[in-house]
Structure formats: C-alpha cells, structure tokens
Amino acid sequence: MKLSKRIFAGLATASLAVTVTACGGSDSSGNFDDTVTVGILHSLSGTMAISESTLVDTEKMAIEEINAAGGVTVDGKSYKIEYIVEDGASDWPTFAEKSKKLIDQDGVPVVFGGWTSASRKAMLPVYESKDAFLYYPIQYEAQECSNNIFYTGATPNQQSEPATDFMYKRSPAAGGDFFLVGSDYVFPRTSNTITKAQVKQLGGKVVGEDYLPLGNTEVAPIISKIKVALPDGGIIVNTLNGDQNVAFFKQIQDAGITPSNGYYVMNYSIAEEEISTIGPEFLEGHYGAWNYMMSIDTPASKKFAKSFKKRWGSDRVVADPQESAYNMVYLWKQAVEDAGTFDDNAVREALVGQTFDAPQGPVEVMANHHLSQTVRIGEINSEGGFTILEETGVVEPQAWNQKHPSSKGFACDWTDPKKGEKYRM
Amino acid sequence: MQLFLESLFNGVAIGSVLLVAALGLAIVFGLMGVINLAHGELMMLGAYSTYITQLIFKQVSFLKPFYDSYVIVAIGIAFLVSGTVGILLERTVIRRLYGSPLETLLATWGVSLILQQFVRSVPLAYASGLVIALFFGLFSPLFISDDLLHGAKGKLIRASTWGFSALLGVATGGILSSLVSKLSRASARNVDVTAPSWMRGGIDFVGITFPKTRLLIILITLISVLIVIFFLDKTAWGIRIRAVTQNRPMSDCLGISTETVDIITFGIGSGLAGVAGVAVSLLGSVGPNVGGNYIVGCFMVVVLGGVGNLLGTILASFSIGIMTDLIGAGRLLTIWPEMPSPLYSTIDFFATTSMARVMIFALIVIFLQFRPTGMFPQKGRMVES
C-alpha cells in the first residue's frame, strides 16, 4: 500500500512536471475544452539563431494572442494552443531529425519552422513522406511548390521584380547600369538570374555580378569591379547575407560608392533588424523591398509592432520575416476552424482561399500554397527605418518564376489534381 | 599607370590584412612550431576589445573628448588582452603538448570552440573582468621581489595577489556592466565597431580613392612588422627566441630559460593576433566567428612564405593580396581587352571572388609541389628534422 502510494505520488509529480513544461510560455488562463499542441522548429543556437529566434518570439506571441481570444474552436469545442519548441541548431540535417520527432513522437498537426532554403530543402522530404504540413515564413527564391509546405514569405515576383522595376524606372539612378552582388548560395544566384532576365526585358544592362563565399568578408576585389563597371554611378542589387553586409557597406562608403556619388544599392536581405546592426549611417539613402515594413502607418501594423514590443521589450523591432511568421499562425487557426478538424488533408483544402487582415494589409492564400501580398519599396532613413516610397497593389505569387529560363510558362495549383506541382500554363 | 597604382594599392591593402593576421601565427607556428588553431579566436578577442574600448570611450564622460583616438588605445588593449589569454593558453594547455603536433591541433581547436561559446554566453562586462583578473594574477608576481616569493610566505603572497586580482576583476565587471548597459547582457549577436569620423571616407589622389581605414590598416601592419623585426633582431630576448628556435637543447644548456622564452614568444604572437583583431573589426562586423574566417588564410600565408621566415610571410601575404586583386577583380581583362577569346573567357570565368579563391589555392598547391618548404625555406639543418 505504502509503495503504491509512493508510485502514485511520483507519477503525479511527473505528470505535473510534464504539464508545466508543456504549458511553458502561454500564460493565458481561460476555460478550454481541450488542448492542441503545435510544433515550432527554428535554430536557437548556431549562426542562424540571431535571426530565427525572433521568429520563435513572434510565433509564441501569436499563439498567446489566439489563446487569450478563446483559442481555436473546432466542432464547437474550444482548444487551447500549446507548443513544443525544437532547436534546429543551424544544422540542416537536424531540422529533418527534429521534424520527424515532432511528427512521429509528439504527433503535432502542424510545424511552424525554418529560415534558410537549405533547412527547408532538408525538411521537405520528411513532410512529403509523412504527409505532414510545414509552414515556412521566409522570403525565398521560389522554384519550388510542395503539397506539404505552405509558404508565407515573398516569392521573387513579390520582392525583387517590383524592386528592379523601381530601380530602373523611377529611382534617382533610373536608366543606369546594374551590378549584382550576393553571397554565394542558392538564393542570391537564383534571384540574380531572374533580375538579369528582367533587366534585359526592360532594356537595361547588367555590367557585372559577383558572389562572396559565405564567411568571407574581403570585399576589396568586388569594390574594384564595381568601380570599373560603374565608373559614374549606377544601380547595385545586393543579396549578401548577414554580417557580410556590414563589411560591404562599411567598405563601399569608404571607397566613395555612396548615394551622393550616384550609386544606389537595392537590398533584398536587409530589414529593420539588420539596419540596426549595420548602422543607419552606412545605409542611409539606399533602398529595400519588403511586404511588411515597420513604418507602415496603419492601425494593424502599429498594433503588431506595439504588442511585440510590449511582450519582448521596447528595444525590439519587427520586420518582414516576423510578420510572415505571425500571419501563418493566424492563417492556420482560421483554416482549422473552417475545416472543423485538425486533420492535415482537410486543413490543407480549407487553407486555400483563406484571407487575413495582416499587419501589411490583406493577404490571401493562393492555390499554389503561397500568399498574395503587397510589395513596398522603401528608402532607408537615418532613424534606422524605411521611408516607404511605393506600394504595389496585391501581387499574386509565382511559385515558378516567369522570368527564370527554367520555369517560364509553368505554374502550380494544388486545388486541381490534374495540375499539381508544376504544369504548363 | 592609374590602373597599376590602383591594383597595387588594393593588393597591398588585401595583403596587409592577411599579413597582420598571419604575423602572430608566423611567430607561434613559424618559430615555435605550435599549430595554434585558436589563433583566429585570439583575433576575435582583439576585435571584441576594440568594441568594448569604443563603448567605454562613448559612455565615460572624461574619456569622451578623446573618442576620436579610441582606436589607438584599443590597439594596446587588444594586444594585452589577447597576449594574456595566449599566455594562459600556453601555460595550461600547450606547454603540456610540446612535441605532439596532432594533440596540440586538437586541443587548440577545442580551445577555439570554448572561446567562441564564451563570448556568446558570458556578458562582455564580466568577460573583461575575468581577463583583467587573469592579467594581474599572471603578471603581478613579476613586480614583486623574488625573495618574497619563496617559502611559505611566498605561497601566501602569491595567493593574495590572485585574490586581489580576482577582486579587481569582479569590480571591473560590476563597474562596466552598470556603466554600459550593452555589456551587461550576454548576446550571440554580432556587434559593430564604428570608425571615428576622421577615419571614415577616403583620400582622393591622382584620380583614385584610397579608403582611410585601409590606409590605417596598412600603417598598423607596417608598424607591427617593424617592431617584430626589431625585437627579434636587436633585443636580447629576441636573440634568445631565435636561439631556442634553432636549437632548444643547446640553448637550454647555455643557460637560456626556454620556458620563459616560450611564454614570451607565445604572448607576443597572441598579442599580435589581438592587434589583427583591431584591424579586422574596422572592416566588418565583430562576432564569435570573425577569427575563424581568417585562420585558413593565415596558415596559407605562413606555409607559402616558408615556415619560420618573417620575410617569406611578408612577401607571401602581399603576393596573395595582389593575386586576389588581379584575378578576382578581372584586372587582366581591363589591361588587355583584345586577348584571344578562349583565354578571355577562361580569365573571365575566374574573375569572381569565389573562383579567384579557387584559382589562388590551386596556384599555391602547384607552387608547393616545386618548393615544398615555401618561398624561403630555413637554411641549414634543424635539430628537430
């Protein structure tokens, strides 16, 4: 008797501990009929941790908001969302491992995760083979359309194409020649292939391109090349990654490649977070293109920034990747409620056509599992934000880019079983 | 002519970053034969020292008027910080592993991982406190007369200097963290060193812009090289170091304290890594991995130049620098635009930063096939070989 009592007490403590861990972070209390546990999978250690941890913060905030508003209602029952956070450790195979763990062991209905294209490519086979569902929040090079991934970041036609158009037609360097700089991996190379095709269509000229190996910060040869190729100023399209930007902007300024000398840099990887690290004094007068910018002057945008600062500290900023992460949690919630079940296949069907009043404005899930969204061009100002210069209407996503030679004429449609991943339009 | 000058300047600029980074390694690896994979992390500590110095100059009111000169102060501080950590590394790890290069390689690689994680997870204020405690703990016995350091009383005195140093370290950590809030929290984020305004921008001369930071780095490199050459050639300790390099047992027999020589050599080599850290911090951002990016280049320079030869290291880094600019920036194409088209397309193919690196590595490998001991091999027979 004594023994069984002890075992019972031990079990009770253990289960209490489990409940406490599982509830970690969600502090809302309310009356729920049940709970549902979702997976969050980003790098919390290693080189990508700096960027990816901001997404974890945003996703936690979105989940807390939903719980505070009554949770997810499925079939008349209200569910509280709980989450398990796994660390991808900036190591791509780890992302695949942890995905398997979340799906098989924890049985989560959905995983929010990833940042780099390499991590997504590593996870993709796992989700396809297990027919599970991954929500991926980052602007990326597209040329991919999986039935098991839902992409809430921009495709190139929702970022680089309007940006190239702006630079060539309406920027102070309009009509000038282009020089393309990027880190040496898949996103910059694909993005620049598209930019080259587009510049050619516009009647402009790309006079040079160069890629810096990841980790290398010696940009002197690139600067020499820019000066030879663009002696009197021009347009530089920059897809460098992370801290390589710091080296690049510090050194081009010293070398006289500045807006006042007629050189304008359009950036695809620099958001508010990066501006504050690089320093606005190096970036002022250059441009960026995103779907969301913190300076958007709408109540939804202000509320998003305000609640994030309230939850995580007044010195924090919100940027485009975080907004995408925020949207995907809400879109999943809506789809689950419409489907009336957590079952993957039903949710997937319910997801297409969902609309959401995002901080950037209305977004809609399209048949190719990407979002239609607004594109904004901003000039970087001395306060470390963007002064928004242009806003397109809502742009539909192209999973297969129409300017890239390998995917021209193709599209993706998961609502029609005959079309699927890649069909000729 | 203008093109030639510009290319030369760029080559020298790239080369001097390599040289200042490799100079410490040339001493540690070249003279002592220690493969120190933590050399990059000693550079990283130098870069962080620059960052901390900059913040202190920005925050402390009586230092503010001198903000413009913080870089010069940072060079000294970085030398001391990296030198101290280097000496600690030598005393605790490397000393036990002399003569076993593979174990040294693995152990120092481990140390490099520890140092990287250390700056990620320890607030910089307390990290500086720790370095200060180590500095005074290691060096204060030098200033106490030898008689006091013997016997039971000596032990007590030694212990009390360590206690005093620890207190000093804790106090520094506390003061720094309350003074500069940015240093009071641990962060894995990369940080930035902003050059003072007189160092920003460039100097226009004969139609070429010379970036001021590059000029400063060339100057730092030049001065470091001159000091090292002077030290090794003219001072008593420099001569002792060279004697130990050439024949350790014989130097020992002749009454040179090889242990002290090891400490000094390693300390200077590490300190120079710190100076390199200052230079590197002016070019890019400062993060836990900043040094790791340079380590391969450093070894390449030392091996290409010939292990144990300073002149070789200097020539090797400048030739790699000039080659990087010639190939990577596609200079040959501008110099000779009418070259035959197969040659043109080959050179054009290599005229990107990634491919230029491949090309330079390939050329070095080919060169080492013919001169396995580098440009300037050691003359005469070494005792070890």
Side-chain angles (χ1 to χ4, degrees):
Chain A
M1 194 60 207
K2 219 177 181 179
L3 189 73
S4 67
K5 230 183 193 170
R6 255 197 206 161
I7 291 176
F8 179 72
L11 277 178
T13 328
S15 63
L16 192 70
V18 167
T19 332
V20 168
T21 350
C23 291
S26 30
D27 51 0
S28 64
S29 56
N31 294 320
F32 297 100
D33 299 318
D34 207 343
T35 58
V36 56
T37 307
V38 299
I40 293 178
L41 174 52
H42 294 288
S43 301
L44 297 173
S45 54
T47 37
M48 292 307 297
I50 302 163
S51 313
E52 291 195 49
S53 55
T54 63
L55 299 187
V56 177
D57 292 347
T58 317
E59 284 153 18
K60 282 182 184 172
M61 180 180 91
I63 290 172
E64 284 162 18
E65 280 182 17
I66 292 171
N67 282 340
V72 191
T73 315
V74 174
D75 238 359
K77 272 172 81 181
S78 67
Y79 287 81
K80 180 180 179 186
I81 308 177
E82 281 169 1
Y83 49 79
I84 298 176
V85 182
E86 286 293 345
D87 179 8
S90 309
D91 177 54
W92 324 138
T94 306
F95 272 94
E97 288 294 314
K98 298 280 181 166
S99 296
K100 278 185 203 145
K101 186 239 166 201
L102 284 169
I103 298 164
D104 291 340
Q105 211 171 310
D106 303 318
V108 299
V110 62
V111 175
F112 303 110
W115 179 297
T116 61
S117 285
S119 71
R120 191 190 63 253
K121 293 274 185 207
M123 288 189 281
L124 186 133
V126 176
Y127 289 87
E128 290 193 336
S129 67
K130 297 187 185 295
D131 201 19
F133 221 11
L134 170 72
Y135 283 55
Y136 174 74
I138 298 299
Q139 134 269 5
Y140 80 120
E141 70 279 1
Q143 310 302 73
E144 182 182 303
C145 189
S146 169
N147 199 18
N148 298 79
I149 299 183
F150 166 55
Y151 313 80
T152 57
T155 56
N157 75 305
Q158 291 173 318
Q159 190 193 25
S160 77
E161 289 184 20
T164 307
D165 199 64
F166 166 80
M167 290 312 279
Y168 190 68
K169 290 181 181 159
R170 295 178 297 279
S171 74
D177 291 340
F178 281 76
F179 194 98
L180 316 178
V181 186
S183 299
D184 206 353
Y185 72 107
V186 58
F187 170 67
R189 283 194 180 261
T190 315
S191 172
N192 284 344
T193 309
I194 295 165
T195 305
K196 276 189 280 184
Q198 191 188 353
V199 170
K200 206 172 160 194
Q201 266 180 20
L202 289 169
K205 221 166 81 189
V206 174
V207 288
E209 91 184 281
D210 205 343
Y211 299 93
L212 204 56
L214 285 168
N216 188 341
T217 45
E218 183 53 87
V219 293
I222 293 188
I223 290 175
S224 317
K225 278 173 99 173
I226 294 178
K227 292 193 126 178
V228 172
L230 303 171
D232 308 307
I235 301 160
I236 300 165
V237 173
N238 166 29
T239 39
L240 286 171
N241 208 18
D243 24 311
Q244 291 187 316
N245 278 308
V246 181
F248 182 69
F249 280 101
K250 268 187 183 174
Q251 294 182 42
I252 61 170
Q253 198 180 53
D254 286 345
I257 301 180
T258 55
S260 55
N261 288 341
Y263 295 92
Y264 294 88
V265 184
M266 169 52 92
N267 303 288
Y268 298 150
S269 313
I270 294 181
E272 286 82 351
E273 190 83 36
E274 286 77 20
I275 298 176
S276 71
T277 355
I278 301 168
E281 68 269 31
F282 294 107
L283 289 167
E284 200 182 343
H286 295 301
Y287 299 95
W290 292 107
N291 302 123
Y292 176 77
M293 289 169 176
M294 204 170 150
S295 49
I296 297 174
D297 198 12
T298 61
S301 158
K302 282 185 174 159
K303 184 176 156 263
F304 175 57
K306 208 175 136 195
S307 7
F308 190 80
K309 281 172 185 283
K310 196 176 155 207
R311 177 69 182 80
W312 299 107
S314 58
D315 56 333
R316 299 288 299 268
V317 292
V318 283
D320 182 274
Q322 285 154 283
E323 195 248 6
S324 290
Y326 182 78
N327 296 346
M328 71 183 180
V329 178
Y330 270 96
L331 286 163
W332 171 77
K333 177 221 174 206
Q334 290 181 8
V336 168
E337 288 184 341
D338 273 11
T341 165
F342 290 108
D343 177 67
D344 283 344
N345 288 311
V347 175
R348 177 158 43 217
E349 260 173 47
L351 193 58
V352 175
Q354 289 292 341
T355 57
F356 176 59
D357 268 325
Q360 61 163 287
V363 295
E364 186 182 347
V365 184
M366 307 309 282
N368 58 9
H369 286 188
H370 290 69
L371 282 187
S372 69
Q373 34 194 351
T374 311
V375 189
R376 294 178 171 85
I377 313 286
E379 186 185 328
I380 299 167
N381 56 37
S382 52
E383 281 101 62
F386 287 102
T387 309
I388 297 172
L389 301 177
E390 279 192 8
E391 248 182 63
T392 63
V394 173
V395 179
E396 292 204 0
Q398 292 170 359
W400 300 103
N401 191 276
Q402 295 310 303
K403 295 199 164 65
H404 197 285
S406 74
S407 57
K408 203 170 178 176
F410 288 95
C412 168
D413 184 347
W414 286 111
T415 53
D416 185 343
K418 282 194 217 96
K419 290 177 172 169
E421 185 178 350
K422 193 176 184 181
Y423 70 93
R424 192 171 281 283
M425 282 189 288
Chain B
M1 183 62 194
Q2 190 181 342
L3 195 75
F4 173 75
L5 257 182
E6 201 177 339
S7 193
L8 187 71
F9 174 76
N10 264 321
V12 170
I14 299 170
S16 57
V17 175
L18 275 175
L19 178 56
V20 75
L23 197 58
L25 199 75
I27 291 173
V28 167
F29 176 52
L31 296 183
M32 294 174 75
V34 171
I35 300 178
N36 180 16
L37 283 187
H39 186 76
E41 277 57 43
L42 293 171
M43 275 173 73
M44 180 237 346
L45 291 181
Y48 271 101
S49 309
T50 319
Y51 172 69
I52 294 171
T53 314
Q54 177 200 358
L55 280 185
I56 293 174
F57 269 76
K58 224 183 239 174
Q59 298 286 333
V60 180
S61 52
F62 69 90
L63 286 174
K64 248 183 208 160
F66 307 105
Y67 179 74
D68 278 353
S69 56
Y70 84 82
V71 176
I72 293 149
V73 180
I75 294 175
I77 292 180
F79 184 86
L80 292 180
V81 168
S82 298
T84 307
V85 176
I87 287 174
L88 182 77
L89 176 66
E90 201 271 340
R91 289 285 84 188
T92 51
V93 180
I94 292 172
R95 183 173 61 140
R96 292 157 212 280
L97 298 170
Y98 281 129
S100 41
L102 270 181
E103 285 80 352
T104 316
L105 187 141
L106 285 175
T108 50
W109 185 59
V111 170
S112 80
L113 295 182
I114 292 172
L115 285 175
Q116 282 183 19
Q117 199 55 41
F118 179 77
V119 296
R120 278 196 198 106
S121 28
V122 176
L124 288 177
Y126 295 102
S128 349
L130 184 64
V131 172
I132 283 180
L134 282 174
F135 178 77
F136 284 102
L138 284 172
F139 292 111
S140 54
L142 296 181
F143 301 102
I144 300 170
S145 111
D146 269 353
D147 306 339
L148 290 174
L149 292 173
H150 289 298
K153 202 173 68 177
K155 267 187 190 157
L156 194 70
I157 289 176
R158 276 171 193 274
S160 60
T161 58
W162 274 106
F164 175 71
S165 313
L167 273 180
L168 205 63
V170 171
T172 317
I175 292 170
L176 270 184
S177 70
S178 62
L179 211 59
V180 191
S181 64
K182 269 187 190 164
L183 297 178
S184 63
R185 273 171 292 163
S187 153
R189 264 162 178 285
N190 280 15
V191 293
D192 269 308
V193 170
T194 318
S197 50
W198 62 269
M199 273 173 52
R200 303 248 292 272
I203 298 168
D204 285 308
F205 181 67
V206 292
I208 312 167
T209 315
F210 296 100
K212 285 181 190 165
T213 41
R214 292 286 187 172
L215 289 172
L216 185 79
I217 291 174
I218 294 174
L219 192 71
I220 292 176
T221 312
L222 191 71
I223 293 173
S224 313
V225 169
L226 289 178
I227 290 178
V228 167
I229 290 178
F230 174 79
F231 177 77
L232 287 179
D233 278 0
K234 302 281 183 235
T235 62
W237 276 110
I239 292 164
R240 284 180 199 140
I241 289 175
R242 285 189 299 144
V244 173
T245 310
Q246 281 171 10
N247 195 329
R248 183 178 287 267
M250 190 54 81
S251 318
D252 215 358
C253 291
L254 290 172
I256 297 175
S257 160
T258 52
E259 205 171 301
T260 320
V261 165
D262 287 338
I263 296 177
I264 291 179
T265 318
F266 206 84
I268 289 174
S270 309
L272 285 170
V275 176
V278 180
V280 164
S281 74
L282 296 173
L283 290 177
S285 77
V286 177
N289 301 321
V290 65
N293 299 333
Y294 288 88
I295 188 81
V296 175
C298 292
F299 275 104
M300 197 162 77
V301 166
V302 176
V303 170
L304 181 65
V307 175
N309 191 309
L310 219 50
L311 183 68
T313 308
I314 296 167
L315 277 180
S317 45
F318 285 132
S319 32
I320 291 179
I322 290 171
M323 294 279 276
T324 309
D325 190 66
L326 271 183
I327 301 171
R331 296 277 182 204
L332 293 172
L333 304 177
T334 10
I335 296 167
W336 184 23
E338 299 90 22
M339 68 174 81
S341 71
L343 189 62
Y344 188 96
S345 46
T346 319
I347 292 179
D348 192 43
F349 178 71
F350 283 104
T352 65
T353 318
S354 313
M355 290 315 290
R357 251 189 152 190
V358 173
M359 184 77 166
I360 287 167
F361 262 102
L363 288 176
I364 290 174
V365 169
I366 293 170
F367 180 82
L368 291 177
Q369 294 296 313
F370 295 103
R371 306 280 303 257
T373 40
M375 288 177 175
F376 297 94
Q378 289 276 41
K379 291 211 177 72
R381 270 189 319 136
M382 298 295 286
V383 173
E384 278 83 14
S385 53

